[in-house]
């Protein structure tokens, strides 16, 4: 790759406890950071941010791709983004029935007064993970069936 072209790209590596989920050159990425969406372009100042369950969107070779992230952190250097997360899924990997069941269980935990504050915090995170997965799966469904887009 020519040096000028290389400057417009950065390396993305997404690692979970189970696998290297993604490794490749990208042009930009928007991350679900704890403080809100964080857009990263090549040459960004070094930074470490907490990742909260949400959708990450990036562009590679002009093509947009999205994946879901669970809790984790991202380390950003000038031309490298490393994300370490408890889980990551492509839209087509998401099992919507499982996410709906997880959402139902977590809502029940959140609304059960017998549960401790800590259990309720876990439940809130589980709700975010399930809602993220459902949103991403539904976006993918709409792409496949554009007639049904609002
Ligand atoms: P569940 O209660 O259904 O396990 P969870 O949010 O607690 O949901 P995680 O701990 O975030 O699950 O993920 C555990 C593993 O299962 C990860 O590898 C994750 O990618 C996968 N996973 C979780 N939910 C789904 C889903 N709805 N579809 C596909 N994979 C999932």
């Amino acid at each position: 790759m020519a040096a000028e072209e290389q400057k417009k790209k950065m390396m993305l590596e997404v690692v979970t406890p189970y696998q290297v989920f993604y490794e490749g050159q990208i042009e930009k990425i928007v991350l679900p950071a704890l403080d809100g969406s964080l857009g990263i372009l090549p040459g960004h100042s070094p930074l470490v941010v907490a990742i909260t369950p949400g959708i990450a969107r990036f562009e590679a070779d002009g093509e947009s791709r999205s994946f879901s992230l669970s809790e984790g952190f991202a380390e950003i250097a000038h031309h490298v983004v490393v994300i370490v997360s408890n889980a990551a899924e492509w839209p087509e990997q998401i099992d919507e029935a499982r996410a709906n069941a997880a959402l139902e269980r977590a809502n029940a935990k959140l609304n059960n007064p017998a549960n401790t504050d800590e259990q309720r915090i876990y439940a809130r995170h589980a709700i975010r993970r399930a809602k993220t997965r459902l949103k991403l799966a539904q976006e993918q469904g709409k792409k496949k069936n554009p007639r049904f887009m609002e």
Side-chain angles (χ1 to χ4, degrees), residues 27-150:
E27 286 102 45
K28 65 175 177 187
I29 186 162
V30 178
L31 297 172
L34 203 55
D35 302 332
S37 287
L38 177 68
I40 308 286
L41 289 168
H44 198 285
S45 321
L47 185 68
V48 175
V49 288
I51 296 292
T52 192
I55 299 174
R57 302 182 194 278
F58 70 92
E59 267 179 36
D61 292 325
E63 193 195 333
S64 302
R65 297 186 74 182
S66 303
F67 59 94
S68 57
L69 280 172
S70 173
E71 299 81 5
F73 70 91
E75 186 172 2
I76 294 132
H78 290 294
H79 287 89
V80 183
V81 176
V82 178
I83 301 172
V84 181
S85 176
N86 288 338
E89 298 99 27
W90 298 113
E92 57 276 13
Q93 292 177 325
I94 291 170
D95 176 342
E96 284 188 72
R98 176 174 169 180
N100 272 316
L103 182 60
E104 212 168 293
R105 274 197 312 277
N107 270 322
K109 273 189 200 147
L110 188 67
N111 296 321
N112 182 348
N115 278 333
T116 63
D117 287 350
E118 198 180 358
Q119 283 169 320
R120 271 197 284 276
I121 290 169
Y122 281 124
R124 276 200 192 93
H125 276 261
I127 288 170
R128 290 197 71 146
R129 293 196 298 274
K131 284 189 171 172
T132 295
R133 288 176 177 129
L134 290 170
K135 184 172 178 212
L136 189 61
Q138 279 153 17
E139 277 182 20
Q140 174 82 352
K142 282 182 186 161
K143 264 194 222 156
K144 278 195 200 144
N145 299 296
R147 281 190 304 136
F148 299 119
M149 280 186 76
E150 298 112 321

